Amino acid sequence: MGLSVRNVTLVYNAPGGGVLPALGPVTFQIESGSFVSLVGPSGCGKSTLIRILAGLQEPTRGEAFLGDIPISGPSSRVGLMFQDSNLMPWRTVQDNIALPLELGGISKQERYAAVENLLPTLGLSDFGLAYPGELSGGMAQRVAIGRVLIQKPEVLLLDEPFGALDALTREQISVDLLEVWAQYRQTVLMVTHDINEAVLLSDRVLVMSQRPGQIIADIPVTLERPRCLEDIYSDVFGKTAQQVRAAIGR
Ligand SMILES: Nc1ncnc2c1ncn2[C@@H]1O[C@H](COP(=O)(O)OP(=O)(O)OP(=O)(O)O)[C@@H](O)[C@H]1O
Ligand SMILES: [Mg+2]
């Protein structure tokens, strides 16, 4: 299931009157099963765009589509993840991951079976009964990814999902995400500030301008898959990262 936006514009009411053009117009399409990253300066409208695609906010103008269907509200086919993992400290790892199923009225037995299946993929096999306070930052973020994946979404919207992590943990967990994606092939749109991360994971990198953000470059990443961390030392990688950096203008 692909994603697309057509002439999407978002204008906020500015504090104290007046208007604040935050985004657009933007038009692009993401093919079903492809991994696309979105980079751009702070405040250019990336999170706004994610919220529009998640059905949490209506564009001022233009339209967003999930497949062929105009987006009019949140969908269970879409998994959404923000920078802050937002785990519930009083629930175990398995109960945090199973939360969406619990809210959906799925039986305890089915919930735990689904979590049991997912834990090895997340590298959390022995931690189902642990509490968030007993986890490292990277592990907590994996639990948050699990909570998104448990619903088997066809589309993932990730807004700086690894922003709070240190560089090494972040590298490792992004490679883990790549493995999960290779298995399920969701359509992914990921916002990141990290150019290397964008290039390593993506089929395409979209670059946005300053607010109101517009797409100023759409850069294909031709690195072969499956990819691994060592790919960042390759020629193709260096050239692509350079292209992205040049498009951002720094
Ligand atoms: N609810 C809101 N009301 C008014 N203005 C808002 C609101 N949310 C965001 N804005 C403004 O819209 C612009 C875009 O914000 P947005 O959060 O989409 O940027 P961003 O690209 O995600 O930035 P960052 O990289 O810092 O996360 C900013 O100028 C921000 O001040
Ligand atoms: Mg943001």
Side-chain angles (χ1 to χ4, degrees), residues 85-244:
S85 67
N86 257 322
L87 300 180
M88 298 179 174
W90 61 91
R91 293 175 74 115
T92 60
V93 163
Q94 63 180 6
D95 286 332
N96 265 288
I97 294 177
L99 182 67
L101 300 184
E102 192 175 331
L103 296 175
I106 310 285
S107 76
K108 197 169 196 169
Q109 199 182 355
E110 268 181 86
R111 291 197 312 258
Y112 286 167
V115 171
E116 206 55 41
N117 263 326
L118 196 55
L119 285 176
T121 313
L122 299 167
L124 290 169
S125 295
D126 298 326
F127 292 92
L129 296 175
Y131 286 87
E134 302 168 311
L135 306 176
S136 70
M139 291 161 79
Q141 213 59 13
R142 271 176 243 262
V143 175
I145 294 174
R147 196 176 46 191
V148 172
L149 293 178
I150 197 87
Q151 298 198 83
K152 300 198 190 312
E154 293 162 72
V155 174
L156 293 178
L157 299 173
L158 310 174
D159 194 355
E160 301 193 52
F162 314 131
L165 303 175
D166 67 90
L168 285 178
T169 308
R170 188 177 173 133
E171 257 177 22
Q172 184 53 52
I173 198 169
S174 59
V175 172
D176 293 343
L177 173 67
L178 209 47
E179 275 174 31
V180 170
W181 175 77
Q183 213 175 322
Y184 297 98
R185 279 303 195 126
Q186 301 95 341
T187 306
V188 183
L189 180 61
M190 178 180 79
V191 173
T192 178
H193 279 119
D194 186 323
I195 294 174
N196 283 354
E197 186 173 285
V199 172
L200 183 62
L201 299 183
S202 310
D203 297 309
R204 282 158 66 202
V205 181
L206 302 177
V207 180
M208 271 171 94
S209 66
Q210 299 277 358
R211 183 181 67 78
Q214 302 188 8
I215 307 294
I216 50 173
D218 182 345
I219 298 164
V221 184
T222 56
L223 281 174
E224 276 174 36
R225 295 190 188 272
R227 298 179 189 167
C228 61
L229 264 181
E230 284 66 39
D231 287 337
I232 67 174
Y233 303 111
S234 74
D235 238 26
V236 181
F237 189 96
K239 284 187 179 133
T240 313
Q242 182 51 41
Q243 254 180 299
V244 175

Side-chain angles (χ1 to χ4, degrees), residues 24-39:
V26 284
T27 297
F28 62 82
Q29 201 165 341
I30 300 177
E31 260 174 71
S32 185
S34 73
F35 197 124
V36 175
S37 287
L38 180 64
V39 300

